[in-house]
Amino acid sequence: MGAIGSFELPSPQYPACATVEDLDPPPALSTKPTELISHALMNAFERDYTHLTVISEDTRALLGYLNIPRLKEMIKQGTVRETDYVEQAMQKFQRSGKIYKVITMDTPLEELEAFFTGGVDGKSSQDFAVVTDANRRFVLGVATKGDLEEFVKRRPA
């Protein structure tokens, strides 16, 4: 048996061949480093998103992300203001020397669960996954632990 959050999952945990696509993740909502934090917060609030990807204005390359709950805490603590730019609050992806797990629409849910519980190195849990095409050229969506939990809840017993 495996556990997701507070849910105990029976074996087999997922239907045969279930993939990230079965979660029906919402399309990624991206922001740019030079956008105001207030604008990014409004976009996230309107769509009830907890994470926004941050992309380059020139190349559309994935630079990092905004964790909205963390951002709200930073504003509350005075670390950043809503009039600051996204680049001051974003969490940047390390470009060199770091291995990233590629999560695509075809990634089996078992792999996604392993990513959430142990990350790429098997030691650090992750709250969300950026879903890309196989070549990592396009951000297709964002999948969260909550998406996986909802999938398990609505799955017939």
Side-chain angles (χ1 to χ4, degrees):
M1 285 197 173
I4 296 282
S6 60
F7 298 98
E8 193 64 27
L9 304 174
S11 282
Q13 297 172 8
Y14 309 104
C17 302
T19 64
V20 169
E21 186 171 16
D22 295 312
L23 298 178
D24 195 24
L29 178 61
S30 297
T31 187
K32 295 178 176 83
T34 55
E35 214 166 276
L36 291 177
I37 287 173
S38 60
H39 188 255
L41 278 172
M42 185 183 326
N43 284 334
F45 177 75
E46 287 173 352
R47 293 168 182 85
D48 197 27
Y49 281 20
T50 57
H51 294 82
L52 299 181
T53 55
V54 180
I55 59 171
S56 164
E57 295 179 65
D58 302 325
T59 64
R60 298 188 43 89
L62 188 59
L63 302 174
Y65 65 96
L66 276 177
N67 177 322
I68 300 303
R70 178 179 172 270
L71 178 59
K72 288 178 181 177
E73 190 60 35
M74 291 173 71
I75 292 169
K76 186 177 176 180
Q77 293 173 351
T79 310
V80 295
R81 297 182 313 271
E82 290 189 29
T83 54
D84 290 336
Y85 294 108
V86 164
E87 66 188 341
Q88 294 172 266
M90 67 185 260
Q91 293 175 268
K92 296 177 183 173
F93 291 127
Q94 294 177 354
R95 289 300 206 192
S96 61
K98 180 124 177 157
I99 298 171
Y100 288 97
K101 169 80 176 145
V102 177
I103 304 290
T104 69
M105 289 292 192
D106 296 326
T107 299
L109 293 183
E110 290 87 357
E111 280 185 38
L112 182 64
E113 179 185 11
F115 176 75
F116 287 148
T117 58
V120 175
D121 59 7
K123 299 175 187 171
S124 54
S125 65
Q126 303 295 315
D127 294 326
F128 77 103
V130 175
V131 182
T132 67
D133 66 306
N135 296 324
R136 299 187 327 182
R137 296 195 65 193
F138 303 103
V139 176
L140 303 176
V142 173
T144 66
K145 286 182 181 180
D147 295 332
L148 200 51
E149 290 171 352
E150 284 301 312
F151 179 82
V152 170
K153 277 187 201 176
R154 67 177 192 257
R155 184 175 160 239

